[in-house]
Amino acid sequence: MSTANIESILQEKRLFPPAAEFSQNAHIKSAEDYQRLYDKAKANPEAFWAELAEQELDWFQKWDTVLDWQPPFAKWFVNGKINISHNCLDRHLTTANKNKAAIIWEGEPGDSRTITYAQLHREVSQFANALKQLGVKKGDTVGIYMPMIPEAAVAMLACARIGAPHSVVFGGFSAEALRDRLNDAKAKVVITADGGFRKDSIVALKPQVDKALENNAAPSVENVLVVQRTKQDIEMQSGRDYWWHDLQKDVSADCPAEPMDAEDVLFVLYTSGSTGKPKGVVHTTGGYNLYSHMTTKWIFDLQDTDVYWCTADVGWITGHSYIVYGPLSNGATTVMYEGAPRKSNPGCFWDVVEKYGVTVFYTAPTAIRAFIKMGDEHPKARDLSSLRLLGTVGEPINPEAWMWYHQVIGGEKCPIVDTWWQTETGGVMITPLPGAIPTKPGSATRPFPGILADIVDLDGNPVKDNEGGYLVVRHPWPGMMRTVYGDPDRFRRTYWEHIAPKDGKYLYFAGDGARKDEDGYFWVMGRVDDVLNISGHRLGTMEVESALVSHPAVAEAAVVGKPDEVKGEEIVAFVTLEGGNQGSEELNKELKKHVVSEIGAIARPGEIRFTDALPKTRSGKIMRRLLRNLAAGQEVSGDTSTLEDISVLDKLRTEA
Ligand code: WTA
């Protein structure tokens, strides 16, 4: 985040209380109601969650123990039996929701579909039976590599129904990135589509899967199931590959949901960290169901008549919790959109809002900034009067973007929920409850009831109001990740050992710096580790560096983020070359392409700078802090005494 941003946030004093009409009808109606819930949950978190689990979800069998906490490993609702697909589908069939729209889908070329709860239940059950026929059993992992089409949600729910953990890989990831994830998750089946519509082009998906599986490079994968979406020519390998529509033929729609243990794995979702390869974040069934359900209900204040739209992709956690599981568990109508903001269609989001009368709208600051740039005339030319609540997620929102969202999109009448959370947390952790908490532009405000968030120093001591520190959580919550897939030790090291209180207590820390103001409002400043946030997507500097170094011309690479008006951050890579290679315009382009083919388009470096040497400490660590200054065009600040060779810095400056 740029210094200018931080300064404007520090001076932000505006307060926007929710309108009385909004609060009257909201689930949580006042600051006092919020405080009561918060205090009750804080006094006895287990009792608080148990009461909600009982009230809000269907269980096949009740749990014996609410929380079994062997730090840092938590089990919630021990011995409880539950199925999230049952909670998202079956239980709505005996209510007025049976023929309500579950998913309203808007395709990129303008096609659309509305699927009721009864229809979705049927499709999911059929596909679950199709998976079973292929030999997919409880406990087998299924990879999902799909465009934003309803079949992606059907696939996830079908896996959940039979107890096969899913691992969704964002459709924009390359074959290499897909292969790594499939291998780590040991996926038995991959569900994909021939292709997808992304912005103004057709992207290949099945050919990427073929590439990922080439030469038996992902040996666990036995079958590939393919949805026909774009109708482009693709190869189908006989005996391995099946069309989705063929599999759905003549399959029974009777597939009772498997009673799952509350702690059975629901999904593994890969995310970037500061070191090493992406981590498989493991979420389990019962706790995740409860946490995604409650946060959706209270934060988006879902009412029967709402048309709720989250613009994320199902490849990310936001899509899991707030397009699929949270809304459907609540019996809401959830909109799914295949398109994305772009110059060639600057009104695309607002067309969807108008077409379906969207009432609750949840997007990312990077999208908001892109729309600001495209001009107010586009939203102004559409009828956005149906909107009653707005949300943002993914990165800190600058107050100017917040104000634009409030005025131009929300018509000054919609509360804005700025929701802070992470793949690891399963659901939103810090956020206003829209009918209860007055908002301040740029602040995620207060913790969700049951979340004991704090700002501390490295020893775990709380810092003073308005002093920066590390954002931690002091007590387990139902939606927390349970482990890193296949690597419990990495789980402990990554999240529980950075902050070390003297009393030996475990604090959860996943890398963000923040401060709390005199009203107890949280202001998240961004990552304090080597994780980049490009358009709200997490990328580890290491991942991009490894991709660069895998090119034969590259000797060493160091990657940093540079502030960018729309994307939040842009990647700048400093690269040294293997002897004999010369930096050139051509090589620059080639390296960018190489990173895209190794990771995906989201990782394309904005800038590559060739250099003779990288600034390192005497112990050989690259001093990224200095490179960050250089990338941003600033003077190098802070201590440079640990630098092994100061002349490297002078050279880098002159090369820039
Ligand atoms: C950042 C996305 C400030 C933060 C749900 C976090 C935010 C990372 C906010 C997680 C917000 C997310 N304000 N920063 N409202 N929301 N972040 O795992 O740095 O893709 O650690 O989960 O995004 O990204 P992830």
Side-chain angles (χ1 to χ4, degrees), residues 271-272 316-318 362 365 392-397 417-425 430 442 444 510-512 523-527 531 533 536-538:
T271 191
S272 301
W316 311 113
I317 189 69
T318 309
Y362 188 32
T392 101
V393 59
E395 56 179 310
I397 181 164
V417 289
D418 174 355
T419 61
W420 176 83
W421 60 295
Q422 309 172 302
T423 307
E424 293 87 342
T425 67
I430 301 180
D512 282 321
W523 300 78
V524 179
M525 312 308 266
R527 306 288 308 188
V531 173
N533 192 329
H537 300 313
R538 268 166 77 173

mmCIF file of all heavy atoms in Angstrom, residues 271-272 316-318 362 365 392-397 417-425 430 442 444 510-512 523-527 531 533 536-538, ligand 1:
data_model
loop_
_atom_site.group_PDB
_atom_site.id
_atom_site.type_symbol
_atom_site.label_atom_id
_atom_site.label_comp_id
_atom_site.label_asym_id
_atom_site.label_seq_id
_atom_site.Cartn_x
_atom_site.Cartn_y
_atom_site.Cartn_z
ATOM 1 N N THR A 271 -3.306 -21.909 -1.511
ATOM 2 C CA THR A 271 -3.063 -20.473 -1.431
ATOM 3 C C THR A 271 -1.574 -20.215 -1.248
ATOM 4 O O THR A 271 -0.832 -21.091 -0.809
ATOM 5 C CB THR A 271 -3.877 -19.832 -0.293
ATOM 6 O OG1 THR A 271 -3.805 -18.416 -0.433
ATOM 7 C CG2 THR A 271 -3.352 -20.207 1.077
ATOM 8 N N SER A 272 -1.173 -19.004 -1.613
ATOM 9 C CA SER A 272 0.250 -18.665 -1.574
ATOM 10 C C SER A 272 0.682 -18.237 -0.194
ATOM 11 O O SER A 272 -0.056 -17.592 0.533
ATOM 12 C CB SER A 272 0.518 -17.506 -2.529
ATOM 13 O OG SER A 272 0.151 -17.874 -3.820
ATOM 14 N N TRP A 316 -11.561 -19.239 -5.898
ATOM 15 C CA TRP A 316 -10.996 -18.639 -4.680
ATOM 16 C C TRP A 316 -11.906 -18.926 -3.502
ATOM 17 O O TRP A 316 -13.063 -19.290 -3.666
ATOM 18 C CB TRP A 316 -10.845 -17.124 -4.842
ATOM 19 C CG TRP A 316 -10.163 -16.719 -6.112
ATOM 20 C CD1 TRP A 316 -10.738 -16.053 -7.161
ATOM 21 C CD2 TRP A 316 -8.797 -16.940 -6.489
ATOM 22 N NE1 TRP A 316 -9.803 -15.846 -8.155
ATOM 23 C CE2 TRP A 316 -8.616 -16.378 -7.773
ATOM 24 C CE3 TRP A 316 -7.707 -17.558 -5.852
ATOM 25 C CZ2 TRP A 316 -7.387 -16.425 -8.437
ATOM 26 C CZ3 TRP A 316 -6.489 -17.595 -6.520
ATOM 27 C CH2 TRP A 316 -6.342 -17.032 -7.791
ATOM 28 N N ILE A 317 -11.400 -18.672 -2.314
ATOM 29 C CA ILE A 317 -12.203 -18.954 -1.109
ATOM 30 C C ILE A 317 -13.485 -18.123 -1.100
ATOM 31 O O ILE A 317 -14.532 -18.595 -0.642
ATOM 32 C CB ILE A 317 -11.369 -18.709 0.181
ATOM 33 C CG1 ILE A 317 -12.109 -19.211 1.422
ATOM 34 C CG2 ILE A 317 -11.039 -17.240 0.349
ATOM 35 C CD1 ILE A 317 -12.257 -20.683 1.557
ATOM 36 N N THR A 318 -13.425 -16.900 -1.613
ATOM 37 C CA THR A 318 -14.636 -16.064 -1.591
ATOM 38 C C THR A 318 -15.759 -16.734 -2.375
ATOM 39 O O THR A 318 -16.922 -16.707 -1.972
ATOM 40 C CB THR A 318 -14.332 -14.658 -2.149
ATOM 41 O OG1 THR A 318 -13.192 -14.153 -1.456
ATOM 42 C CG2 THR A 318 -15.493 -13.710 -1.938
ATOM 43 N N TYR A 362 -21.407 -7.851 -3.697
ATOM 44 C CA TYR A 362 -20.135 -8.053 -2.976
ATOM 45 C C TYR A 362 -19.019 -8.159 -4.002
ATOM 46 O O TYR A 362 -19.035 -9.062 -4.838
ATOM 47 C CB TYR A 362 -20.281 -9.356 -2.189
ATOM 48 C CG TYR A 362 -19.180 -9.718 -1.204
ATOM 49 C CD1 TYR A 362 -18.450 -8.763 -0.503
ATOM 50 C CD2 TYR A 362 -18.918 -11.068 -0.924
ATOM 51 C CE1 TYR A 362 -17.485 -9.148 0.422
ATOM 52 C CE2 TYR A 362 -17.958 -11.452 0.005
ATOM 53 C CZ TYR A 362 -17.242 -10.484 0.675
ATOM 54 O OH TYR A 362 -16.298 -10.863 1.596
ATOM 55 N N PRO A 365 -12.051 -4.284 -4.133
ATOM 56 C CA PRO A 365 -11.583 -2.918 -4.400
ATOM 57 C C PRO A 365 -10.970 -2.754 -5.791
ATOM 58 O O PRO A 365 -11.156 -1.717 -6.429
ATOM 59 C CB PRO A 365 -10.531 -2.679 -3.318
ATOM 60 C CG PRO A 365 -10.956 -3.547 -2.184
ATOM 61 C CD PRO A 365 -11.554 -4.775 -2.827
ATOM 62 N N THR A 392 -17.159 -5.349 0.217
ATOM 63 C CA THR A 392 -15.868 -5.451 -0.469
ATOM 64 C C THR A 392 -14.957 -6.435 0.264
ATOM 65 O O THR A 392 -15.086 -6.646 1.465
ATOM 66 C CB THR A 392 -15.110 -4.101 -0.624
ATOM 67 O OG1 THR A 392 -14.094 -4.024 0.373
ATOM 68 C CG2 THR A 392 -16.004 -2.926 -0.494
ATOM 69 N N VAL A 393 -14.043 -7.008 -0.490
ATOM 70 C CA VAL A 393 -13.107 -7.986 0.068
ATOM 71 C C VAL A 393 -11.859 -8.092 -0.791
ATOM 72 O O VAL A 393 -11.910 -7.851 -1.990
ATOM 73 C CB VAL A 393 -13.748 -9.393 0.128
ATOM 74 C CG1 VAL A 393 -14.181 -9.885 -1.239
ATOM 75 C CG2 VAL A 393 -12.779 -10.421 0.757
ATOM 76 N N GLY A 394 -10.759 -8.472 -0.171
ATOM 77 C CA GLY A 394 -9.575 -8.845 -0.931
ATOM 78 C C GLY A 394 -8.352 -8.018 -0.609
ATOM 79 O O GLY A 394 -7.233 -8.489 -0.703
ATOM 80 N N GLU A 395 -8.550 -6.767 -0.261
ATOM 81 C CA GLU A 395 -7.427 -5.893 0.060
ATOM 82 C C GLU A 395 -8.000 -4.665 0.743
ATOM 83 O O GLU A 395 -9.220 -4.453 0.719
ATOM 84 C CB GLU A 395 -6.674 -5.499 -1.224
ATOM 85 C CG GLU A 395 -7.592 -4.851 -2.213
ATOM 86 C CD GLU A 395 -6.888 -4.426 -3.493
ATOM 87 O OE1 GLU A 395 -5.847 -3.765 -3.392
ATOM 88 O OE2 GLU A 395 -7.406 -4.727 -4.564
ATOM 89 N N PRO A 396 -7.139 -3.852 1.341
ATOM 90 C CA PRO A 396 -7.667 -2.638 1.954
ATOM 91 C C PRO A 396 -8.312 -1.772 0.870
ATOM 92 O O PRO A 396 -7.803 -1.695 -0.247
ATOM 93 C CB PRO A 396 -6.411 -1.958 2.510
ATOM 94 C CG PRO A 396 -5.370 -3.036 2.596
ATOM 95 C CD PRO A 396 -5.682 -3.993 1.497
ATOM 96 N N ILE A 397 -9.424 -1.163 1.179
ATOM 97 C CA ILE A 397 -10.055 -0.271 0.202
ATOM 98 C C ILE A 397 -9.686 1.167 0.560
ATOM 99 O O ILE A 397 -9.818 1.578 1.714
ATOM 100 C CB ILE A 397 -11.582 -0.469 0.131
ATOM 101 C CG1 ILE A 397 -12.195 0.476 -0.917
ATOM 102 C CG2 ILE A 397 -12.278 -0.331 1.472
ATOM 103 C CD1 ILE A 397 -13.615 0.119 -1.339
ATOM 104 N N VAL A 417 -20.154 -3.169 3.705
ATOM 105 C CA VAL A 417 -19.416 -4.052 4.603
ATOM 106 C C VAL A 417 -18.041 -4.342 3.998
ATOM 107 O O VAL A 417 -17.920 -4.960 2.958
ATOM 108 C CB VAL A 417 -20.187 -5.358 4.924
ATOM 109 C CG1 VAL A 417 -21.374 -5.050 5.832
ATOM 110 C CG2 VAL A 417 -20.681 -6.086 3.677
ATOM 111 N N ASP A 418 -17.010 -3.803 4.650
ATOM 112 C CA ASP A 418 -15.622 -4.053 4.241
ATOM 113 C C ASP A 418 -15.172 -5.259 5.053
ATOM 114 O O ASP A 418 -14.992 -5.171 6.262
ATOM 115 C CB ASP A 418 -14.792 -2.801 4.545
ATOM 116 C CG ASP A 418 -13.302 -2.988 4.291
ATOM 117 O OD1 ASP A 418 -12.862 -4.116 3.955
ATOM 118 O OD2 ASP A 418 -12.564 -1.999 4.447
ATOM 119 N N THR A 419 -15.026 -6.396 4.378
ATOM 120 C CA THR A 419 -14.855 -7.663 5.089
ATOM 121 C C THR A 419 -13.409 -8.139 5.039
ATOM 122 O O THR A 419 -12.882 -8.429 3.980
ATOM 123 C CB THR A 419 -15.750 -8.748 4.459
ATOM 124 O OG1 THR A 419 -15.362 -8.946 3.090
ATOM 125 C CG2 THR A 419 -17.217 -8.338 4.493
ATOM 126 N N TRP A 420 -12.775 -8.226 6.182
ATOM 127 C CA TRP A 420 -11.401 -8.759 6.231
ATOM 128 C C TRP A 420 -11.427 -10.241 6.586
ATOM 129 O O TRP A 420 -12.042 -10.653 7.568
ATOM 130 C CB TRP A 420 -10.549 -8.031 7.274
ATOM 131 C CG TRP A 420 -9.183 -8.662 7.360
ATOM 132 C CD1 TRP A 420 -8.123 -8.395 6.536
ATOM 133 C CD2 TRP A 420 -8.756 -9.698 8.249
ATOM 134 N NE1 TRP A 420 -7.060 -9.205 6.877
ATOM 135 C CE2 TRP A 420 -7.425 -10.017 7.918
ATOM 136 C CE3 TRP A 420 -9.378 -10.399 9.290
ATOM 137 C CZ2 TRP A 420 -6.680 -10.988 8.601
ATOM 138 C CZ3 TRP A 420 -8.644 -11.383 9.965
ATOM 139 C CH2 TRP A 420 -7.317 -11.658 9.621
ATOM 140 N N TRP A 421 -10.741 -11.027 5.775
ATOM 141 C CA TRP A 421 -10.592 -12.456 6.083
ATOM 142 C C TRP A 421 -9.599 -13.064 5.123
ATOM 143 O O TRP A 421 -8.962 -12.360 4.337
ATOM 144 C CB TRP A 421 -11.936 -13.173 6.054
ATOM 145 C CG TRP A 421 -12.690 -13.154 4.758
ATOM 146 C CD1 TRP A 421 -13.215 -12.056 4.134
ATOM 147 C CD2 TRP A 421 -13.037 -14.276 3.946
ATOM 148 N NE1 TRP A 421 -13.872 -12.443 2.988
ATOM 149 C CE2 TRP A 421 -13.782 -13.788 2.847
ATOM 150 C CE3 TRP A 421 -12.812 -15.654 4.037
ATOM 151 C CZ2 TRP A 421 -14.282 -14.636 1.846
ATOM 152 C CZ3 TRP A 421 -13.317 -16.480 3.057
ATOM 153 C CH2 TRP A 421 -14.042 -15.971 1.975
ATOM 154 N N GLN A 422 -9.437 -14.377 5.169
ATOM 155 C CA GLN A 422 -8.411 -15.071 4.387
ATOM 156 C C GLN A 422 -8.880 -16.480 4.024
ATOM 157 O O GLN A 422 -9.782 -17.007 4.674
ATOM 158 C CB GLN A 422 -7.146 -15.223 5.234
ATOM 159 C CG GLN A 422 -6.684 -13.937 5.863
ATOM 160 C CD GLN A 422 -5.558 -14.141 6.834
ATOM 161 O OE1 GLN A 422 -5.688 -14.890 7.791
ATOM 162 N NE2 GLN A 422 -4.453 -13.475 6.594
ATOM 163 N N THR A 423 -8.220 -17.066 3.049
ATOM 164 C CA THR A 423 -8.497 -18.462 2.706
ATOM 165 C C THR A 423 -8.485 -19.322 3.973
ATOM 166 O O THR A 423 -9.323 -20.194 4.169
ATOM 167 C CB THR A 423 -7.405 -18.980 1.739
ATOM 168 O OG1 THR A 423 -7.320 -18.076 0.636
ATOM 169 C CG2 THR A 423 -7.732 -20.368 1.225
ATOM 170 N N GLU A 424 -7.531 -19.039 4.822
ATOM 171 C CA GLU A 424 -7.324 -19.846 6.024
ATOM 172 C C GLU A 424 -8.454 -19.702 7.034
ATOM 173 O O GLU A 424 -8.683 -20.604 7.840
ATOM 174 C CB GLU A 424 -6.015 -19.415 6.712
ATOM 175 C CG GLU A 424 -4.753 -19.734 5.926
ATOM 176 C CD GLU A 424 -4.370 -18.646 4.922
ATOM 177 O OE1 GLU A 424 -5.228 -17.811 4.571
ATOM 178 O OE2 GLU A 424 -3.204 -18.639 4.480
ATOM 179 N N THR A 425 -9.122 -18.548 7.042
ATOM 180 C CA THR A 425 -10.121 -18.321 8.095
ATOM 181 C C THR A 425 -11.484 -18.887 7.715
ATOM 182 O O THR A 425 -12.390 -18.930 8.549
ATOM 183 C CB THR A 425 -10.263 -16.826 8.446
ATOM 184 O OG1 THR A 425 -10.824 -16.131 7.319
ATOM 185 C CG2 THR A 425 -8.933 -16.198 8.822
ATOM 186 N N ILE A 430 -13.463 -9.881 10.316
ATOM 187 C CA ILE A 430 -13.653 -8.516 10.799
ATOM 188 C C ILE A 430 -14.501 -7.796 9.766
ATOM 189 O O ILE A 430 -14.187 -7.813 8.567
ATOM 190 C CB ILE A 430 -12.301 -7.804 10.999
ATOM 191 C CG1 ILE A 430 -11.462 -8.590 12.015
ATOM 192 C CG2 ILE A 430 -12.507 -6.373 11.467
ATOM 193 C CD1 ILE A 430 -10.103 -7.981 12.300
ATOM 194 N N GLY A 442 -12.611 2.738 4.710
ATOM 195 C CA GLY A 442 -11.262 2.175 4.809
ATOM 196 C C GLY A 442 -11.071 1.275 6.015
ATOM 197 O O GLY A 442 -10.036 0.632 6.142
ATOM 198 N N ALA A 444 -12.365 -2.051 8.300
ATOM 199 C CA ALA A 444 -13.209 -3.251 8.332
ATOM 200 C C ALA A 444 -13.996 -3.294 9.649
ATOM 201 O O ALA A 444 -14.748 -4.234 9.899
ATOM 202 C CB ALA A 444 -12.368 -4.506 8.152
ATOM 203 N N ALA A 510 -1.682 -14.743 10.352
ATOM 204 C CA ALA A 510 -1.492 -15.143 8.952
ATOM 205 C C ALA A 510 -0.962 -14.026 8.091
ATOM 206 O O ALA A 510 -1.182 -13.999 6.890
ATOM 207 C CB ALA A 510 -2.778 -15.681 8.371
ATOM 208 N N GLY A 511 -0.256 -13.073 8.699
ATOM 209 C CA GLY A 511 0.539 -12.197 7.853
ATOM 210 C C GLY A 511 0.089 -10.768 7.630
ATOM 211 O O GLY A 511 0.702 -10.057 6.863
ATOM 212 N N ASP A 512 -0.975 -10.304 8.286
ATOM 213 C CA ASP A 512 -1.388 -8.920 8.054
ATOM 214 C C ASP A 512 -0.998 -7.999 9.204
ATOM 215 O O ASP A 512 -1.044 -8.386 10.369
ATOM 216 C CB ASP A 512 -2.907 -8.825 7.867
ATOM 217 C CG ASP A 512 -3.340 -9.259 6.477
ATOM 218 O OD1 ASP A 512 -2.626 -8.926 5.515
ATOM 219 O OD2 ASP A 512 -4.361 -9.943 6.356
ATOM 220 N N TRP A 523 -8.123 -1.318 11.334
ATOM 221 C CA TRP A 523 -7.689 -0.789 10.037
ATOM 222 C C TRP A 523 -6.583 -1.715 9.541
ATOM 223 O O TRP A 523 -5.479 -1.715 10.085
ATOM 224 C CB TRP A 523 -7.160 0.637 10.187
ATOM 225 C CG TRP A 523 -8.185 1.599 10.722
ATOM 226 C CD1 TRP A 523 -8.580 1.740 12.021
ATOM 227 C CD2 TRP A 523 -8.963 2.532 9.960
ATOM 228 N NE1 TRP A 523 -9.554 2.716 12.111
ATOM 229 C CE2 TRP A 523 -9.806 3.219 10.871
ATOM 230 C CE3 TRP A 523 -9.026 2.862 8.594
ATOM 231 C CZ2 TRP A 523 -10.702 4.201 10.455
ATOM 232 C CZ3 TRP A 523 -9.907 3.850 8.191
ATOM 233 C CH2 TRP A 523 -10.738 4.506 9.108
ATOM 234 N N VAL A 524 -6.891 -2.512 8.548
ATOM 235 C CA VAL A 524 -5.919 -3.479 8.047
ATOM 236 C C VAL A 524 -5.003 -2.772 7.051
ATOM 237 O O VAL A 524 -5.482 -2.110 6.133
ATOM 238 C CB VAL A 524 -6.630 -4.665 7.365
ATOM 239 C CG1 VAL A 524 -5.611 -5.660 6.830
ATOM 240 C CG2 VAL A 524 -7.583 -5.347 8.349
ATOM 241 N N MET A 525 -3.698 -2.874 7.278
ATOM 242 C CA MET A 525 -2.757 -2.142 6.432
ATOM 243 C C MET A 525 -2.212 -2.984 5.282
ATOM 244 O O MET A 525 -1.647 -2.455 4.345
ATOM 245 C CB MET A 525 -1.564 -1.626 7.255
ATOM 246 C CG MET A 525 -1.938 -0.922 8.541
ATOM 247 S SD MET A 525 -3.147 0.374 8.299
ATOM 248 C CE MET A 525 -2.107 1.773 8.108
ATOM 249 N N GLY A 526 -2.307 -4.293 5.374
ATOM 250 C CA GLY A 526 -1.779 -5.148 4.304
ATOM 251 C C GLY A 526 -0.780 -6.136 4.850
ATOM 252 O O GLY A 526 -0.521 -6.201 6.056
ATOM 253 N N ARG A 527 -0.194 -6.908 3.937
ATOM 254 C CA ARG A 527 0.696 -7.995 4.335
ATOM 255 C C ARG A 527 1.992 -7.449 4.915
ATOM 256 O O ARG A 527 2.528 -6.456 4.442
ATOM 257 C CB ARG A 527 1.042 -8.867 3.118
ATOM 258 C CG ARG A 527 -0.148 -9.401 2.363
ATOM 259 C CD ARG A 527 -0.883 -10.473 3.076
ATOM 260 N NE ARG A 527 -0.028 -11.560 3.515
ATOM 261 C CZ ARG A 527 -0.524 -12.698 4.039
ATOM 262 N NH1 ARG A 527 -1.833 -12.879 4.149
ATOM 263 N NH2 ARG A 527 0.280 -13.642 4.425
ATOM 264 N N VAL A 531 4.233 -11.672 0.713
ATOM 265 C CA VAL A 531 3.095 -12.075 -0.100
ATOM 266 C C VAL A 531 2.592 -10.844 -0.841
ATOM 267 O O VAL A 531 2.454 -9.770 -0.264
ATOM 268 C CB VAL A 531 1.981 -12.689 0.779
ATOM 269 C CG1 VAL A 531 0.727 -12.951 -0.044
ATOM 270 C CG2 VAL A 531 2.473 -13.991 1.401
ATOM 271 N N ASN A 533 -0.238 -8.839 -3.207
ATOM 272 C CA ASN A 533 -1.687 -8.815 -3.392
ATOM 273 C C ASN A 533 -1.955 -8.103 -4.716
ATOM 274 O O ASN A 533 -1.975 -6.887 -4.798
ATOM 275 C CB ASN A 533 -2.342 -8.090 -2.214
ATOM 276 C CG ASN A 533 -3.840 -8.296 -2.200
ATOM 277 O OD1 ASN A 533 -4.467 -8.457 -3.255
ATOM 278 N ND2 ASN A 533 -4.438 -8.286 -1.025
ATOM 279 N N GLY A 536 -6.242 -8.209 -5.605
ATOM 280 C CA GLY A 536 -6.937 -8.996 -4.588
ATOM 281 C C GLY A 536 -6.568 -10.468 -4.593
ATOM 282 O O GLY A 536 -7.154 -11.258 -3.868
ATOM 283 N N HIS A 537 -5.609 -10.869 -5.419
ATOM 284 C CA HIS A 537 -5.181 -12.270 -5.426
ATOM 285 C C HIS A 537 -3.824 -12.405 -4.776
ATOM 286 O O HIS A 537 -2.915 -11.634 -5.031
ATOM 287 C CB HIS A 537 -5.102 -12.809 -6.859
ATOM 288 C CG HIS A 537 -6.413 -12.755 -7.564
ATOM 289 N ND1 HIS A 537 -7.573 -13.186 -6.993
ATOM 290 C CD2 HIS A 537 -6.746 -12.304 -8.786
ATOM 291 C CE1 HIS A 537 -8.570 -13.008 -7.826
ATOM 292 N NE2 HIS A 537 -8.104 -12.462 -8.928
ATOM 293 N N ARG A 538 -3.706 -13.433 -3.967
ATOM 294 C CA ARG A 538 -2.458 -13.641 -3.252
ATOM 295 C C ARG A 538 -1.446 -14.395 -4.092
ATOM 296 O O ARG A 538 -1.741 -15.418 -4.673
ATOM 297 C CB ARG A 538 -2.754 -14.482 -2.015
ATOM 298 C CG ARG A 538 -3.029 -13.677 -0.822
ATOM 299 C CD ARG A 538 -3.638 -14.542 0.222
ATOM 300 N NE ARG A 538 -2.634 -15.373 0.879
ATOM 301 C CZ ARG A 538 -2.928 -16.112 1.934
ATOM 302 N NH1 ARG A 538 -4.146 -16.139 2.414
ATOM 303 N NH2 ARG A 538 -1.994 -16.838 2.510
HETATM 304 C C1 WTA B 1 -6.122 -9.289 2.243
HETATM 305 C C2 WTA B 1 -9.465 -13.436 0.500
HETATM 306 C C3 WTA B 1 -7.742 -5.510 3.901
HETATM 307 C C4 WTA B 1 -5.297 -9.548 3.495
HETATM 308 C C5 WTA B 1 -10.766 -13.465 1.312
HETATM 309 C C6 WTA B 1 -5.452 -11.046 3.692
HETATM 310 C C7 WTA B 1 -7.840 -7.647 3.054
HETATM 311 C C8 WTA B 1 -5.492 -11.553 2.280
HETATM 312 C C9 WTA B 1 -9.256 -7.624 3.135
HETATM 313 C C10 WTA B 1 -6.223 -12.864 2.160
HETATM 314 C C11 WTA B 1 -9.884 -6.414 3.612
HETATM 315 C C12 WTA B 1 -8.621 -9.551 2.380
HETATM 316 N N1 WTA B 1 -9.076 -5.400 3.986
HETATM 317 N N2 WTA B 1 -7.099 -6.599 3.447
HETATM 318 N N3 WTA B 1 -11.207 -6.270 3.684
HETATM 319 N N4 WTA B 1 -9.702 -8.815 2.705
HETATM 320 N N5 WTA B 1 -7.489 -8.862 2.567
HETATM 321 O O1 WTA B 1 -6.583 -15.714 1.200
HETATM 322 O O2 WTA B 1 -3.949 -9.222 3.237
HETATM 323 O O3 WTA B 1 -7.159 -14.651 -1.023
HETATM 324 O O4 WTA B 1 -4.400 -11.623 4.412
HETATM 325 O O5 WTA B 1 -8.610 -14.388 0.996
HETATM 326 O O6 WTA B 1 -6.173 -10.527 1.536
HETATM 327 O O7 WTA B 1 -6.367 -13.255 0.817
HETATM 328 P P1 WTA B 1 -7.144 -14.571 0.441
#
